[in-house]
Amino acid sequence: MIAPSLLDQITLIVAGLLCMIVILAAAATYGLILALRPLLQRYALARPSARGLHRTPTPQGGGIAIVLAFAVIGGLAAAVFIGLMPMPQSFGARQVATLAAAAAAACALGAFDDIRPLSPFLRLALQFLIAAAALTVLPAGAQALPGFVPIWLERTILLVGLVWFVNLTNFMDGMDLMTAAGFVPALAGLLVLTGTLDFPPVPGMMAAALLGGLLGFAPFNWPVARLFLGDAGSLAIGLIVGTLLVLLAVQGHLAAALLLCLYHLADSTITLLRRLVRGAKVWEAHREHFYQQAAMKGWSAARVAAWVFGLNAILAALAIGTIYADATVAALLLLCGAALTGWTLGSFSGGLA
């Protein structure tokens, strides 16, 4: 048991560290992008394609800077905290190193695929291996689903779910600022929960490092974008965010974890199911996501991103609310989030406009 006075001190230290990590990671990402951009301009141009909405060749690979800042800034801050804080850590140095290494592997896979595209099946197989490694950071025996679900079945579901989350992040990164609009509010929500110690401090610091990285990248991705994340960024970001949400779920906060990613999850999953029903090749590039439908109906990228950001900010507030609510209220908050998400999808597609 930690004394109340010591707990207050730890809370203040964690809050201060989180702010410092965000600022340092944002500055590091911005500086790394300035240094890497000439190389990306030369070797990693994204040509207009059936998936994206841009019309001119644009350098990609900005996610490399985000992952580097995440691993270095987040890893160093976590190491300092683990070494100094007199409290047990369920997420320690091994877990930090594992998550950073898995993110680096996903980044490397995406970077290679950006330059020399891999076959869909090889790419998927490698993603499963990387996701399996990332899930080893979970506490032994911890479960997100009801206790009657066998642990082996839950881990299988989580593995498939994490691979899907990695890919949906990639699919949803088809418009300027879309990934930042989707994940900045979610990561900020995790930081709020970390500051109140409702989410473990060390993974919270990793969330802060990723949040800072996305903020440092955003000026380059502002419509009209001068730089894209590339698969190097979207795959790694999807892996990191997905793993952090699984960690939140196994803390007993499944509703909060779902709310924090609900828009991205709904848009991508509904789009995939529609394509499957129609018999389309789901691995092929397309422009059928709801946010892309809005753009093709005349919405600007900035307007779509603002809608997504606003929705996700509301979803993050609802997610935080579920932490402190009873089961009935938490279910109502989840339904409210689902209704808002459905209304947004309908507005994007024109059905509710």
Side-chain angles (χ1 to χ4, degrees):
M1 176 69 70
I2 301 175
S5 59
L6 180 57
L7 188 61
D8 290 341
Q9 293 176 22
I10 292 173
T11 301
L12 288 174
I13 291 171
V14 169
L17 271 175
L18 293 177
C19 293
M20 185 183 303
I21 292 167
V22 172
I23 294 169
L24 290 175
T29 300
Y30 192 92
L32 284 168
I33 287 174
L34 291 178
L36 291 172
R37 197 161 178 265
L39 290 174
L40 299 175
Q41 180 79 41
R42 183 174 180 182
Y43 296 109
L45 277 181
R47 308 287 177 181
S49 67
R51 172 187 160 203
L53 295 169
H54 64 290
R55 297 179 180 179
T56 58
T58 304
Q60 60 184 341
I64 296 171
I66 294 176
V67 174
L68 283 171
F70 164 81
V72 174
I73 304 298
L76 286 175
V80 170
F81 183 82
I82 291 168
L84 294 180
M85 285 297 101
M87 60 186 294
Q89 300 289 341
S90 60
F91 195 98
R94 181 189 69 81
Q95 287 82 1
V96 170
T98 299
L99 183 56
C107 182
L109 173 62
F112 189 91
D113 199 40
D114 281 335
I115 299 170
R116 299 184 62 182
L118 301 169
S119 75
F121 302 104
L122 176 58
R123 183 169 62 241
L124 187 62
L126 293 173
Q127 289 172 357
F128 267 100
L129 289 175
I130 294 168
L135 287 177
T136 63
V137 305
L138 297 181
Q143 288 190 259
L145 301 177
F148 60 79
V149 178
I151 187 69
W152 65 267
L153 179 58
E154 174 168 316
R155 288 295 190 264
T156 302
I157 294 171
L158 291 178
L159 176 59
V160 173
L162 182 55
V163 171
W164 171 230
F165 197 84
V166 168
N167 282 281
L168 74 84
T169 302
N170 185 30
F171 298 157
M172 294 291 288
D173 186 45
M175 180 184 289
D176 300 345
L177 282 183
M178 183 54 60
T179 298
F183 291 151
V184 164
L187 292 166
L190 287 178
L191 262 59
V192 171
L193 296 176
T194 304
T196 59
L197 299 184
D198 290 296
F199 189 62
V202 176
M205 291 172 192
M206 306 305 284
L210 183 58
L211 173 59
L214 284 172
L215 294 176
F217 168 74
F220 298 94
N221 197 232
W222 201 270
V224 173
R226 295 173 289 148
L227 180 68
F228 296 149
L229 282 174
D231 287 2
S234 60
L235 296 184
I237 291 169
L239 182 80
I240 297 165
V241 174
T243 303
L244 292 174
L245 292 178
V246 170
L247 280 167
L248 179 63
V250 300
Q251 296 285 322
H253 306 310
L254 179 59
L258 290 172
L259 281 165
L260 288 174
C261 65
L262 192 55
Y263 172 73
H264 268 50
L265 188 62
D267 190 324
S268 55
T269 302
I270 293 171
T271 301
L272 174 72
L273 292 175
R274 282 178 166 180
R275 287 175 60 79
L276 280 172
V277 169
R278 202 171 65 246
K281 296 178 180 178
V282 296
W283 58 86
E284 289 185 345
H286 63 85
R287 297 178 184 176
E288 298 179 19
H289 288 284
F290 288 86
Y291 72 91
Q292 291 171 322
Q293 293 178 43
M296 288 186 286
K297 286 180 171 63
W299 291 43
S300 68
R303 183 185 178 192
V304 174
W307 269 60
V308 172
F309 183 90
L311 171 64
N312 279 295
I314 295 171
L315 292 176
L318 294 175
I320 293 170
T322 65
I323 303 293
Y324 308 107
D326 59 32
T328 300
V329 174
L332 290 174
L333 292 175
L334 184 57
L335 286 174
C336 181
L340 287 171
T341 301
W343 177 72
T344 300
L345 296 177
S347 298
F348 284 174
S349 67
L352 300 179

